[in-house]
Amino acid sequence: KNQVEQSPQSLIILEGKNCTLQCNYTVSPFSNLRWYKQDTGRGPVSLTIMTFSENTKSNGRYTATLDADTKQSSLHITASQLSDSASYICVVSDGSNYQLIWGAGTKLIIKP
Amino acid sequence: GAVVSQHPSWVICKSGTSVKIECRSLDFQATTMFWYRQFPKQSLMLMATSNEGSKATYEQGVEKDKFLINHASLTLSTLTVTSAHPEDSSFYICSARASLNTEAFFGQGTRLTVV
């Protein structure tokens, strides 16, 4: 069964600190993996999208990694800011029908 | 990135009435649009997938007669919640993509409250 699991469920860190969010998936065949940021009461916004051959992709202070062999991805946030408080969702695209398989998200709270 | 506009951003309606939510792709033609529902502290749940000019495909457990989806053009899809009840109160989000395996862009969501 295609699944995407994220950890931790929630995370609280101090402003300025770094953090890493994890995503494990069992989707097969694999097409791509996306990380979205969703502010409360808003639609998701794409941070990165990675295909099978990409190991690392950065978007400002956000760096995503992908290990297609172990089917794991991480999202690293550097020098966190209060505006980083949001839910971060890992989404994997099924390569057979391009259906998006959603993780439950990690709720990140940045405290001053 | 491409822009998907969803309207209204919030709506309050009386129980038993119907509510229509619009989703527009502003700068690209969307062959496929998706409708999601999100309850508090939960992730997005796909309700249905609609392809322009054809009937929507609903996920298991989603009543197609209650959640009417129309994708009449390449830039507009609508979701109508018919005979809304308080349990339909939720955050509804649409997304649109130009073609298979291209980026799906999301609307800003619609907060529906049924009183």
Side-chain angles (χ1 to χ4, degrees):
Chain A
K1 180 182 177 183
N2 287 335
Q3 285 186 317
V4 176
E5 295 185 353
Q6 291 186 244
S7 62
Q9 283 188 335
S10 62
L11 180 64
I12 301 174
I13 64 172
L14 292 175
E15 184 180 11
K17 298 296 185 182
N18 304 334
C19 66
T20 300
L21 314 180
Q22 301 290 343
C23 173
N24 297 335
Y25 62 93
T26 59
V27 178
S28 183
F30 172 88
S31 176
N32 57 61
L33 183 145
R34 309 143 189 250
W35 282 95
Y36 286 95
K37 177 186 179 186
Q38 185 180 21
D39 293 311
T40 301
R42 307 286 292 178
V45 174
S46 179
L47 295 176
T48 64
I49 177 169
M50 302 176 73
T51 58
F52 184 88
S53 59
E54 296 175 296
N55 300 121
T56 303
K57 182 168 279 191
S58 292
N59 178 1
R61 294 179 295 103
Y62 301 102
T63 299
T65 66
L66 174 65
D67 185 333
D69 292 331
T70 61
K71 298 187 177 181
Q72 296 179 324
S73 175
S74 66
L75 180 69
H76 186 75
I77 303 175
T78 304
S80 61
Q81 300 176 358
L82 297 178
S83 59
D84 293 332
S85 294
S87 288
Y88 291 84
I89 309 171
C90 175
V91 184
V92 180
S93 178
D94 183 319
S96 62
N97 57 16
Y98 301 106
Q99 181 181 12
L100 299 181
I101 314 299
W102 290 76
T106 293
K107 176 76 171 176
L108 177 64
I109 298 173
I110 309 298
K111 289 200 167 184
Chain B
V3 178
V4 174
S5 176
Q6 194 172 332
H7 178 81
S9 56
W10 61 270
V11 58
I12 301 173
C13 70
K14 290 185 177 181
S15 186
T17 62
S18 296
V19 174
K20 180 184 284 188
I21 302 170
E22 291 188 349
C23 180
R24 293 180 184 273
S25 57
L26 298 185
D27 52 0
F28 68 101
Q29 293 186 325
T31 57
T32 307
M33 287 190 174
F34 305 88
W35 287 96
Y36 295 85
R37 180 166 52 182
Q38 186 176 33
F39 292 106
K41 299 184 180 181
Q42 294 186 23
S43 190
L44 279 70
M45 292 174 50
L46 180 65
M47 298 175 65
T49 302
S50 74
N51 293 296
E52 186 266 340
S54 60
K55 290 184 178 180
T57 302
Y58 289 81
E59 295 299 301
Q60 193 172 11
V62 178
E63 300 175 57
K64 61 181 180 181
D65 294 330
K66 181 169 182 63
F67 298 99
L68 301 179
I69 292 172
N70 184 286
H71 191 168
S73 77
L74 285 172
T75 59
L76 174 64
S77 176
T78 61
L79 167 68
T80 302
V81 183
T82 62
S83 186
H85 291 286
E87 57 265 30
D88 298 324
S89 298
S90 186
F91 192 56
Y92 292 86
I93 307 173
C94 73
S95 74
R97 71 182 182 196
S99 59
L100 280 177
N101 206 31
T102 57
E103 181 71 49
F105 297 94
F106 288 81
Q108 61 268 53
T110 297
R111 170 70 60 192
L112 170 64
T113 303
V114 184
V115 296

